[in-house]
Amino acid sequence: MPLENGHISIHTENILPIIKKWLYSEKDIFIRELVSNSNDAISKLKKLVSIGEAQIGEEEKFTIKVIVNKDDKTIKVVDNGIGMTDEEVRKYINQIAFSGAVDFLEKYKDKADEGNQIIGHFGLGFYSAFMVAEKVQIDTLSFQKDEKAVRWTSTGGTEYEMDESDRSERGTTVTLFLSEDSLEFLEFFKMREVLVKYCSFLPFEVYLEDAAKKEEPKDKKDKKDKKDKKDNDKDNDKNEEEVEAAEKEEPKPLNDTHPLWLKNPKDCTDAEYKEFYTKVFHDFNEPLFWIHLNMDYPFNLKGILFFPKLKHEFETNEGQIKLYYNQVFVADNIKEVIPEFLLLLKGVIDCPDLPLNVSRSFLQNDGYVAKISTHITKKVADKLTSIFENERESYNKYWDDINPFVKYGCIREAKFYDKAKDIVIFKTTNGDYVTLKDYLERNKEKHENKVFYVSDEKQQSQYIKIFKEHDMEAVILTSMIDNHFIQFLEMKESSTKFTRIDSDLSDNLKESGENEGDAASAEDLEKLFKSALDNDKLKVQVEALKATSVPGMILLSEYSRRMQEMSRMYGGGMDMKSMFPEEQTLVLNRSNHLIKALIKLKDMEDKKADTDMICRHIYDLAMMSHKQLEPEAMTRFIERSNHLLARLADIETGE
């Protein structure tokens, strides 16, 4: 019979279903909570030892063990920490934790939906055990002299039993008798996965043991099996040495007790940062660079943010920022703490000062958390600025990978934009990198306050060629975010306008002055092309271009094109094509020999078929420099090209 049976004075009849429903969003979190409690117990003892209020053996090593036992269907979490007395078990297990759980659940149960999960309650952690266990047993022995070991048992309701325990060593063992729906956690590799997830950087060593393997007898049969294995191996001596070494090898902890983020940045090498990155994120591509956060005032914050090299642009939404609380993993990508744009990166942040005993909605509105978020933003901007100012060549090399992140940060965070706006750079069609200010300054005589840009270097190659021939440059904007970013910049820099290279003609590309009869010939050309293409709505513009080899170009309205692109991007249900029709303009170059010839041919009735064919071909060539032809138009273009080549061959051969 137990020494004591009791009821806990709480209003609910059974706390187990409440905990299962409200307290935690992920079932495996019970391991984090129980191992964290063991970690706290060791920390408390270590503190008492440091001030002379407790003593331990000189060779004693602090450890936490998790033991899975499939036969008994149990999981044990064992520590050699401070332990508890009979009185402390009554206080911390029967009174504070239970009543605290009830008060907490009463306060937050109406808010605990999926978007408002509770992200960390280490004070209530012990009761997370009932998420997976039908019975929980505590065996504990206090560090205090002459105290007796205590056993506490409960099935998760309001009843408990207390008795003497047979535990003989200082510390605590929590034994979970698993319910049938949680037996997956008895699998060794499943438990290892959970421990690595939550406890990879705990301050004290964590070991995982399989009770079945540990208790396996070393009888004669084992020795015979080893001998048979050796006899069948070609390299007997080497095999024997390996077997003996494996038997002698001590078990290794699952965690790194001194994670890199706790070290002083001055003491860390590049190799260590890269090794840490690979280990934590399983990414074997080296990061471009990193930012080591290390501060104690006005709040305690440490961490490392890595800028990964992107294999393709779609990876920009695959970042991962791991949040830790005193080296215990809490969650990935907590937007309330970490600025949203930083979630494009990979990294770890450890902030023991976070108020983790509250709901995420509180975190979102908490001024202290906002200060942490602001500081992280500042440190990232400062690091980027430092590289820009001191390692400009490296910064230019990084830009293709980091530009989606920087642009997104500018759009999402006003404070980040204020700090980073002068380090936003653009790659030009000349191959160099310039700031917006630099580009505007060196092109002000050609097109003041206007930025020409390229969105597809291959498709817009003809336009780029014309620009280069006339000593002009455009910036290259090929990222998915650029459509948003240029509109953002136009809002911030109201005097500056971005214009795609195929949407407008710079005056620098045109011949100055008009000759007599230009207006009349322009009107004739417009009528000629509208008739040949059978399109009365076609917009035609006649210009004298410096590039005499180009007969025609297509210009596309910047505004209507942007609206259509945004509609496609968001998959909107509205018919943006009818609201903002594609406004194309065919620009004919009257400086071109072919266009001059058309003006002469237009009045020759017997040449009308040839004139119409030339008009259609000029139009298709202009369209092909602008975008790919539709299948039907491409078929006609090929047929027409073959016909023209045949005509040319006939002329050359005199047939």
Side-chain angles (χ1 to χ4, degrees):
M1 289 292 290
L3 291 178
E4 178 180 324
N5 289 319
H7 284 76
I8 301 163
S9 300
I10 57 175
H11 299 297
T12 180
E13 290 300 318
N14 191 339
I15 201 168
L16 176 57
I18 302 177
I19 287 174
K20 283 187 174 181
K21 185 173 182 181
W22 298 116
L23 191 53
Y24 296 107
S25 57
E26 296 179 54
K27 203 173 184 181
D28 63 8
I29 217 162
F30 77 94
I31 281 294
R32 181 192 79 179
E33 300 300 289
L34 294 179
V35 174
S36 294
N37 285 346
S38 291
N39 181 76
D40 291 345
I42 294 173
S43 295
K44 288 173 183 175
L45 179 62
K46 197 173 178 183
K47 177 68 175 176
L48 291 176
V49 170
S50 70
I51 61 176
E53 292 192 12
Q55 292 183 334
I56 60 172
E58 288 184 12
E59 301 298 321
E60 187 170 0
K61 187 178 178 183
F62 290 122
T63 60
I64 301 166
K65 294 180 183 177
V66 178
I67 306 168
V68 292
N69 190 322
K70 275 190 176 182
D71 295 335
D72 296 343
K73 296 181 181 178
T74 62
I75 296 173
K76 292 185 177 183
V77 180
V78 186
D79 68 66
N80 56 350
I82 196 170
M84 288 184 285
T85 64
D86 181 284
E87 183 182 345
E88 287 169 337
V89 170
R90 296 172 196 275
K91 179 179 179 181
Y92 295 117
I93 303 299
N94 294 344
Q95 295 174 28
I96 291 179
F98 256 114
S99 60
V102 174
D103 291 344
F104 167 80
L105 293 168
E106 185 65 30
K107 183 175 180 181
Y108 288 109
K109 66 181 180 181
D110 294 331
K111 300 179 182 179
D113 53 34
E114 186 178 350
N116 200 6
Q117 289 290 354
I118 312 308
I119 65 169
H121 294 278
F122 299 106
L124 305 174
F126 167 70
Y127 282 96
S128 64
F130 289 105
M131 295 172 71
V132 296
E134 57 188 20
K135 184 173 85 169
V136 178
Q137 177 178 304
I138 301 173
D139 289 276
T140 183
L141 177 61
S142 173
F143 78 100
Q144 296 181 38
K145 194 175 180 181
D146 299 328
E147 285 291 338
K148 293 181 179 179
V150 181
R151 172 169 293 167
W152 179 96
T153 309
S154 176
T155 55
T158 60
E159 297 180 358
Y160 68 88
E161 293 180 358
M162 285 183 67
D163 204 342
E164 287 188 11
S165 171
D166 57 0
R167 183 179 177 99
S168 58
E169 296 179 348
R170 181 203 69 245
T172 301
T173 298
V174 178
T175 306
L176 281 62
F177 297 84
L178 296 194
S179 51
E180 290 298 319
D181 63 354
S182 300
L183 298 181
E184 61 183 295
F185 294 105
L186 292 173
E187 298 295 333
F188 185 85
F189 289 103
K190 171 67 176 178
M191 180 55 66
R192 190 180 192 281
E193 177 187 313
V194 177
L195 284 169
V196 168
K197 175 182 176 181
Y198 290 112
C199 307
S200 281
F201 301 103
L202 220 59
F204 302 104
E205 292 181 353
V206 179
Y207 295 87
L208 174 61
E209 295 180 4
D210 187 332
K213 287 185 178 180
K214 189 177 180 182
E215 293 169 9
E216 190 175 300
K218 301 287 183 184
D219 55 16
K220 293 180 180 178
K221 183 178 179 302
D222 292 332
K223 293 178 181 177
K224 182 179 181 300
D225 289 342
K226 287 179 188 175
K227 187 176 185 301
D228 291 342
K229 180 173 173 60
K230 285 193 296 181
D231 291 342
N232 291 329
D233 198 292
K234 292 181 180 179
D235 192 355
N236 289 346
D237 293 338
K238 184 178 180 182
N239 188 63
E240 186 176 0
E241 289 174 5
E242 288 175 351
V243 171
E244 289 177 358
E247 288 179 352
K248 291 178 182 177
E249 186 178 354
E250 291 187 11
K252 295 180 180 178
L254 297 178
N255 57 320
D256 175 1
T257 58
H258 300 287
L260 195 64
W261 72 75
L262 293 182
K263 295 181 181 179
N264 191 310
K266 294 178 181 178
D267 299 331
C268 302
T269 65
D270 286 358
E272 286 177 317
Y273 283 116
K274 291 173 184 178
E275 182 184 356
F276 180 83
Y277 175 79
T278 301
K279 176 183 176 182
V280 175
F281 301 104
H282 310 292
D283 184 350
F284 293 92
N285 295 297
E286 290 186 357
L288 297 170
F289 58 95
W290 46 85
I291 300 171
H292 196 140
L293 307 168
N294 188 359
M295 63 177 301
D296 299 313
Y297 181 83
F299 40 77
N300 191 347
L301 173 70
K302 290 177 172 60
I304 307 171
L305 297 176
F306 293 92
F307 285 72
K309 184 171 180 59
L310 306 179
K311 289 190 281 292
H312 52 76
E313 189 178 346
F314 294 104
E315 284 189 338
T316 54
N317 61 354
E318 297 178 4
Q320 186 182 32
I321 305 289
K322 295 178 173 290
L323 180 65
Y324 288 80
Y325 178 93
N326 277 329
Q327 298 173 240
V328 180
F329 175 70
V330 175
D332 285 320
N333 299 349
I334 299 293
K335 294 179 182 178
E336 292 79 11
V337 179
I338 302 156
E340 186 180 3
F341 75 96
L342 290 181
L343 300 181
L344 299 177
L345 305 182
K346 294 181 179 180
V348 294
I349 290 178
D350 192 341
C351 192
D353 293 342
L354 279 177
L356 288 180
N357 59 338
V358 292
S359 71
R360 291 180 70 166
S361 63
F362 183 88
L363 273 182
Q364 198 168 8
N365 298 309
D366 183 62
Y368 183 78
V369 173
K371 289 178 182 177
I372 293 175
S373 180
T374 298
H375 175 75
I376 295 172
T377 298
K378 178 181 180 300
K379 294 295 287 184
V380 171
D382 288 347
K383 175 68 174 182
L384 290 172
T385 302
S386 174
I387 299 174
F388 175 83
E389 292 176 348
N390 302 310
E391 304 171 55
R392 181 63 187 273
E393 191 174 331
S394 296
Y395 188 83
N396 291 350
K397 289 178 182 177
Y398 297 150
W399 185 250
D400 288 345
D401 284 286
I402 70 172
N403 82 82
F405 157 78
V406 176
K407 292 168 183 174
Y408 184 60
C410 288
I411 293 171
R412 296 295 298 176
E413 295 278 337
K415 290 179 179 176
F416 182 77
Y417 171 73
D418 290 340
K419 288 184 169 294
K421 61 183 178 181
D422 293 331
I423 62 169
V424 173
I425 60 175
F426 301 87
K427 186 178 181 180
T428 74
T429 48
N430 294 324
D432 61 345
Y433 290 84
V434 296
T435 64
L436 180 60
K437 183 179 178 182
D438 292 338
Y439 177 88
L440 292 171
E441 177 63 29
R442 72 191 198 186
N443 290 282
K444 65 181 180 181
E445 293 181 5
K446 298 169 185 175
H447 42 83
E448 190 172 7
N449 292 330
K450 183 179 285 187
V451 180
F452 281 99
Y453 69 95
V454 175
S455 61
D456 186 327
E457 290 179 84
K458 187 176 180 181
Q459 190 64 55
Q460 294 151 20
S461 60
Q462 179 67 20
Y463 298 86
I464 296 171
K465 180 175 178 289
I466 293 172
F467 260 55
K468 286 185 174 181
E469 285 174 350
H470 295 86
D471 195 27
M472 294 175 63
E473 63 182 350
V475 299
I476 298 171
L477 298 175
T478 56
S479 297
M480 290 173 63
I481 196 173
D482 284 328
N483 205 21
H484 302 278
F485 187 61
I486 60 177
Q487 293 184 74
F488 170 79
L489 285 180
E490 287 172 340
M491 180 183 68
K492 289 287 187 181
E493 310 288 337
S494 57
S495 63
T496 302
K497 296 299 176 188
F498 282 78
T499 302
R500 202 167 80 175
I501 201 170
D502 60 355
S503 67
D504 195 9
L505 280 174
S506 168
D507 291 338
N508 205 52
L509 297 176
K510 304 174 188 176
E511 295 285 3
S512 58
E514 283 193 6
N515 297 320
E516 216 176 302
D518 283 347
S521 62
E523 189 176 336
D524 290 340
L525 283 169
E526 183 177 354
K527 288 179 182 178
L528 187 64
F529 273 82
K530 283 184 176 181
S531 173
L533 297 168
D534 193 21
N535 184 355
D536 287 337
K537 295 182 179 179
L538 178 69
K539 289 185 178 181
V540 179
Q541 178 181 333
V542 180
E543 299 283 357
L545 302 180
K546 292 178 180 178
T548 58
S549 62
V550 178
M553 297 171 63
I554 294 291
L555 298 182
L556 181 62
S557 165
E558 179 78 13
Y559 179 71
S560 62
R561 179 186 53 75
R562 281 196 202 181
M563 296 306 294
Q564 287 192 21
E565 286 178 354
M566 287 180 68
S567 174
R568 286 195 296 270
M569 190 177 296
Y570 291 116
M574 293 186 297
D575 185 6
M576 299 295 281
K577 204 159 189 175
S578 61
M579 292 176 64
F580 301 96
E582 196 172 64
E583 297 178 16
Q584 290 182 357
T585 301
L586 173 62
V587 177
L588 298 174
N589 181 12
R590 62 168 172 260
S591 301
N592 175 261
H593 177 72
L594 197 53
I595 299 299
K596 288 178 180 178
L598 278 174
I599 295 172
K600 294 177 182 178
L601 288 169
K602 66 181 174 60
D603 296 325
M604 301 179 188
E605 283 297 324
D606 60 332
K607 299 293 183 181
K608 187 175 188 317
D610 289 345
T611 303
D612 287 349
M613 183 169 57
I614 293 171
C615 288
R616 294 188 196 108
H617 217 64
I618 289 172
Y619 178 77
D620 282 351
L621 286 169
M623 284 297 295
M624 289 174 72
S625 294
H626 168 65
K627 66 177 183 179
Q628 189 173 347
L629 291 180
E630 297 295 330
E632 190 177 340
M634 178 59 80
T635 300
R636 290 197 303 267
F637 176 78
I638 293 171
E639 289 173 351
R640 199 185 310 117
S641 298
N642 289 331
H643 177 70
L644 288 169
L645 289 171
R647 289 274 301 273
L648 180 62
D650 289 345
I651 293 170
E652 290 296 324
T653 57
E655 295 181 7

